[in-house]
Amino acid sequence: MPSRHLLLVDFAAAAAVCAAYCYFASFDGSDGTPVFTGPPWLAWVTAAAVGLPIAVRRRWPLTAAAVTIAGCAAASVLDLTREPFVPAALVLYTVGALVGLRRSIAMAAIAFAVLAGGLFTGVLLTTPSETLSGTITLTLAVWAIAGGGWAAGVMVRRKRFDAARAASSERARVVTEERMRIARELHDIVSHSLSLIAVQAGVANHVADEQPERAREAMRSIESTSREALAEMRGVLTVLRADPLTASDRREPMPGLGDLDELIGRARAAGVEVSAEIDVPVRLPDGIALAVYRVVQESLTNVVKHADRARCSVTVRADRREVSAEVTDDGARRAHADGGHGLIGMRERVLMYGGTFTAGPVPEGGFAVRAVLPFEAGEPR
């Protein structure tokens, strides 16, 4: 639907063209050109046919073009024309801009034929005022003006199409990236929480008869871990159901470095002996802080799942340029412990922020995960 401003412009242009063609009917031939000799009403009808369709060209481009082109040809035959068919260029521009290419080309071809027929009939046959070569030159000039308007419209339509396609591709890219981010969040939440729950359930089952108090403590830990996992998953699933382009503002705050102590505490409750050193004297951007938290979380999850002797160290340090996170266990890794989506997800997070990520066995025995993330810019690269 055209805007009110564009409609007003079109109405003004239509009125101006109608007035101009009515004025052309009053010429007396003193300039040496043929003059209109028909009744006034015929001049008014012709002027209306040339100008009025301009007012509705954006709503009905093909109909407006057909009427205006026919009016221009009639004006040539009746010796009313005193301008190079600018109205024809205006309506053909709209056809090029708003109509599909096949119908647009067909309309342009018909317009060129009708305009040429009107010029040859009026200028060369009805009231001869030009030679054949002059008529051909005049026709080519009219075609250039009308064709220029149509070509400009086609270019505008193409640019609009490209812009819309680029916007659609960008939207699809944003949606895909958000879905992937949500998938990583779900993996981190579920993998970590279920690993702790499985360990605690095994402990509770093993000591239920001999140490009921320890079994109850393990069950309380399972309950607490389950509630926290459900709360985080609700936040993620809320975004998954909604539009990823607009739903991020409604999410609960994601964990950061302030939650590392609680994370380490849950790992200790699951039976992992964790020594921790957290030295972050500067405030990290939220995205960087979340990436560090997820690296530590996934690493501790792998320790719980894959280390025979559950003992590890967690070191997080930062200066004004970068933050590093390292998790090392001294237990033998079981087969295929370094596979799966966990390490891939950690690597993707770190690389997204322009950092470096390494993971593998250490010479002393065990397994180490290390991530270094720069944060001067505070935004992912």
Side-chain angles (χ1 to χ4, degrees):
M1 182 67 181
S3 67
R4 180 177 298 181
H5 173 72
L6 292 177
L7 290 176
L8 290 176
V9 171
D10 287 345
F11 274 103
V17 170
C18 288
Y21 270 76
C22 288
Y23 175 67
F24 294 158
S26 65
F27 279 30
D28 58 5
S30 57
D31 57 352
T33 59
V35 297
F36 173 72
T37 57
W41 65 265
L42 184 56
W44 300 339
V45 170
T46 305
V50 174
L52 289 184
I54 296 174
V56 294
R57 64 191 176 111
R58 299 180 198 274
R59 291 191 177 183
W60 301 289
L62 289 175
T63 301
V67 176
T68 292
I69 296 300
C72 288
S76 296
V77 174
L78 296 173
D79 296 323
L80 267 175
T81 306
R82 295 292 188 277
E83 51 85 26
F85 290 160
V86 171
L90 285 176
V91 293
L92 287 178
Y93 166 85
T94 309
V95 169
L98 301 181
V99 179
L101 189 58
R102 286 187 178 181
R103 291 195 299 167
S104 177
I105 292 175
M107 185 71 243
I110 293 171
F112 292 163
V114 172
L115 291 175
L119 283 170
F120 272 81
T121 301
V123 174
L124 192 62
L125 301 178
T126 304
T127 311
S129 58
E130 288 284 354
T131 61
L132 178 60
S133 60
T135 303
I136 293 175
T137 301
L138 182 60
T139 301
L140 293 176
V142 168
W143 279 0
I145 293 171
W150 175 79
V154 171
M155 291 178 61
V156 168
R157 177 181 172 82
R158 181 64 184 178
K159 287 183 178 179
R160 290 173 180 169
F161 176 79
D162 291 342
R165 184 169 59 182
S168 178
S169 298
E170 177 65 12
R171 181 181 177 86
R173 184 190 66 80
V174 171
V175 170
T176 300
E177 289 184 356
E178 182 67 6
R179 301 292 185 191
M180 290 296 294
R181 187 179 71 83
I182 292 171
R184 287 195 296 267
E185 297 294 344
L186 284 173
H187 172 272
D188 292 342
I189 294 168
V190 173
S191 176
H192 176 74
S193 300
L194 289 183
S195 295
L196 296 182
I197 289 171
V199 170
Q200 291 287 30
V203 170
N205 184 59
H206 183 69
V207 302
D209 295 331
E210 300 176 1
Q211 297 175 282
E213 182 58 35
R214 186 178 177 189
R216 283 192 291 271
E217 181 182 346
M219 295 303 293
R220 285 193 293 269
S221 178
I222 290 174
E223 180 184 9
S224 173
T225 302
S226 301
R227 291 182 184 278
E228 291 170 0
L230 285 173
E232 284 198 68
M233 287 184 66
R234 285 193 193 99
V236 175
L237 291 175
T238 297
V239 180
L240 192 61
R241 293 191 200 98
D243 185 351
L245 295 176
T246 60
S248 59
D249 293 339
R250 299 193 296 272
R251 288 197 61 181
E252 294 295 325
M254 296 303 295
L257 297 188
D259 302 289
L260 284 179
D261 289 340
E262 182 180 354
L263 178 66
I264 292 170
R266 291 203 299 266
R268 286 170 177 161
V272 179
E273 184 180 331
V274 184
S275 61
E277 180 184 351
I278 312 297
D279 181 18
V280 184
V282 295
R283 185 182 184 280
L284 302 182
D286 292 341
I288 298 289
L290 175 60
V292 172
Y293 178 90
R294 292 306 190 197
V295 167
V296 175
Q297 181 187 49
E298 181 64 28
S299 300
L300 289 177
T301 301
N302 286 338
V303 172
V304 172
K305 290 192 295 185
H306 303 302
D308 288 335
R309 297 188 301 275
R311 180 184 303 167
C312 73
S313 63
V314 176
T315 304
V316 179
R317 295 192 181 97
D319 54 26
R320 294 185 177 277
R321 298 180 61 86
E322 62 184 25
V323 58
S324 63
E326 184 172 0
V327 180
T328 305
D329 70 73
D330 58 359
R333 308 284 286 189
R334 288 197 281 270
H336 306 294
D338 56 344
H341 297 288
L343 294 180
I344 295 174
M346 285 191 282
R347 186 183 303 276
E348 287 179 352
R349 285 182 184 275
V350 173
L351 294 181
M352 182 178 69
Y353 288 93
T356 58
F357 178 85
T358 57
V362 294
E364 299 81 7
F367 198 86
V369 173
R370 177 177 173 80
V372 180
L373 296 96
F375 62 89
E376 277 189 315
E379 293 293 339
R381 295 181 183 178

